[in-house]
Amino acid sequence: LEASITLCKNMKYTSKRVSEASSLMAQLQLEQAVYEALIAAIQTKDRAQLAAALSKADKGKMDFAEVRQARGLIARLDHEALLLKRYETALAAGDVRQVDEVLKGMTEAGFPIPKDAKENLANLEQKLARETLEARLATALESSVKSNDVDQVEAALQRAIEQGYEGESVTAAKEFLSMQHKKKDDLGALMAACKTLEVKMESVAGIESSELEGIHRCLDRMTGHRFSSEEETIIKEAQNTLHKGLAVQQCTVGMEQGLRTRDYNLLTASLEKANKYQLKMDILSEVKEMIAQLEMEAEEAQ
């Protein structure tokens, strides 16, 4: 056909049939060019080249086997690219389940698995397992601290330390235990101070201001602590002991002032309070003698 068209041109022969032959020749040449482009693109799996060749095929309304093969190959390349993108996204997000699903999809479709994919998946699974463990440890620590149970906190903290966990909940648990140990010491000091005051209130020597101040300081240190019902009872008893101590001190001051001023009313009122609290101080004998003396003087004056 090409030789015939060339001969006609050389003979300067024109006709409708020559024109039809020339058009057919141009179409055949275009199809040959597209065919060669498709074969090259199919061999290299170059999507851009495939798309360019298919564009020409579409314009020429071509539909031979290589065109259909190229369309299928583009669809497969696009599917592979989509799976690869999903893999990279899932990997960046640390989504173990999604990474595993995408890799299975690649295998089923016959696509090559990305380099280090198995290692990356194993690392993600290990990371997820660690995060799950740390979440459980953190929850256990937080729950134990909320329970206000020292034994539970110590056990949860020990498990966390053994697993090498060092999150914020570990710090919070250590601070809790530190506060609990301080609270225990403070409660011990408070109970000791109360015991000392109770003994002194029952003694003949009486109490001193420093002993009341000691209980005041111990109670002040209770601020910021959380207490069990048993500990709250100890604090309430300490407050009652302090109130009693203050009353005893006021009573003692009243007796001392009454003796100095020979104030009968003050002495009798103070003695009544002393009897109420069953005090045994040496000053009581002086008060009683002074009251008796003042009553005698009052009778003589009549």
Side-chain angles (χ1 to χ4, degrees):
L1 181 61
E2 184 177 9
S4 297
I5 293 172
T6 301
L7 179 61
C8 288
K9 285 183 179 180
N10 291 336
M11 295 177 62
K12 297 181 181 181
Y13 174 72
T14 59
S15 70
K16 183 180 179 181
R17 296 181 72 91
V18 172
S19 297
E20 291 175 350
S22 297
S23 297
L24 178 58
M25 186 64 196
Q27 178 66 23
L28 290 174
Q29 289 175 337
L30 177 60
E31 289 184 3
Q32 181 65 27
V34 169
Y35 170 80
E36 292 175 356
L38 286 171
I39 292 299
I42 289 170
Q43 290 176 347
T44 60
K45 295 183 180 180
D46 187 312
R47 193 192 186 288
Q49 290 182 14
L50 284 167
L54 282 173
S55 177
K56 293 178 181 179
D58 290 340
K59 288 179 181 179
K61 297 181 180 180
M62 304 173 194
D63 188 31
F64 45 84
E66 286 72 18
V67 171
R68 293 190 292 273
Q69 183 181 356
R71 293 189 195 284
L73 181 55
I74 277 191
R76 185 171 174 79
L77 289 173
D78 288 345
H79 184 43
E80 182 180 6
L82 177 62
L83 288 177
L84 183 59
K85 180 64 176 178
R86 287 177 56 195
Y87 165 76
E88 292 171 348
T89 301
L91 186 63
D95 190 332
V96 175
R97 184 183 63 80
Q98 187 66 15
V99 169
D100 189 44
E101 285 184 3
V102 173
L103 291 178
K104 286 180 179 177
M106 288 180 171
T107 301
E108 291 172 359
F111 297 139
I113 298 300
K115 183 181 178 181
D116 300 330
K118 291 184 179 180
E119 182 180 349
N120 290 335
L121 180 59
N123 290 338
L124 278 182
E125 290 173 340
Q126 184 177 5
K127 180 182 177 184
L128 178 61
R130 180 64 187 180
E131 289 174 351
T132 301
L133 172 63
E134 291 185 353
R136 287 202 301 266
L137 293 171
T139 299
L141 284 167
E142 291 164 5
S143 298
S144 64
V145 169
K146 287 180 181 178
S147 73
N148 208 34
D149 188 315
V150 172
D151 291 338
Q152 284 189 30
V153 176
E154 287 179 339
L157 183 59
Q158 181 60 34
R159 288 194 296 271
I161 292 173
E162 289 173 354
Q163 294 295 334
Y165 176 55
E166 298 179 354
E168 292 181 359
S169 53
V170 170
T171 301
K174 288 180 177 179
E175 290 175 353
F176 169 83
L177 289 177
S178 177
M179 288 293 291
Q180 290 299 303
H181 293 151
K182 182 178 182 299
K183 181 179 71 173
K184 183 179 179 180
D185 293 341
D186 290 343
L187 282 172
L190 176 63
M191 293 170 66
C194 288
K195 183 64 177 178
T196 298
L197 182 62
E198 289 169 353
V199 170
K200 292 296 293 289
M201 284 191 293
E202 295 178 359
S203 70
V204 296
I207 63 175
E208 299 179 4
S209 297
S210 60
E211 291 155 352
L212 295 173
E213 292 170 358
I215 295 180
H216 264 301
R217 287 193 297 271
C218 289
L219 286 173
D220 287 342
R221 289 199 292 271
M222 296 297 104
T223 304
H225 290 305
R226 290 191 300 169
F227 300 102
S228 64
S229 57
E230 182 180 350
E231 292 167 340
E232 287 176 351
T233 299
I234 293 173
I235 293 173
K236 187 174 182 180
E237 290 175 351
Q239 291 171 335
N240 292 337
T241 300
L242 177 60
H243 292 156
K244 181 179 178 181
L246 290 170
V248 169
Q249 184 187 47
Q250 184 179 16
C251 175
T252 303
V253 170
M255 288 188 289
E256 291 173 347
Q257 183 177 347
L259 288 173
R260 288 196 305 271
T261 60
R262 295 169 59 84
D263 187 326
Y264 179 80
N265 291 332
L266 180 57
L267 285 169
T268 54
S270 298
L271 180 61
E272 184 179 353
K273 289 182 180 178
N275 290 332
K276 175 183 176 182
Y277 292 118
Q278 299 180 341
L279 301 182
K280 303 174 184 178
M281 296 181 291
D282 289 337
I283 195 174
L284 286 174
S285 58
E286 296 179 45
V287 170
K288 291 176 182 178
E289 290 175 3
M290 178 61 73
I291 289 174
Q293 184 177 343
L294 290 173
E295 289 176 344
M296 185 182 299
E297 290 176 359
E299 290 178 1
E300 293 175 353
Q302 292 178 358

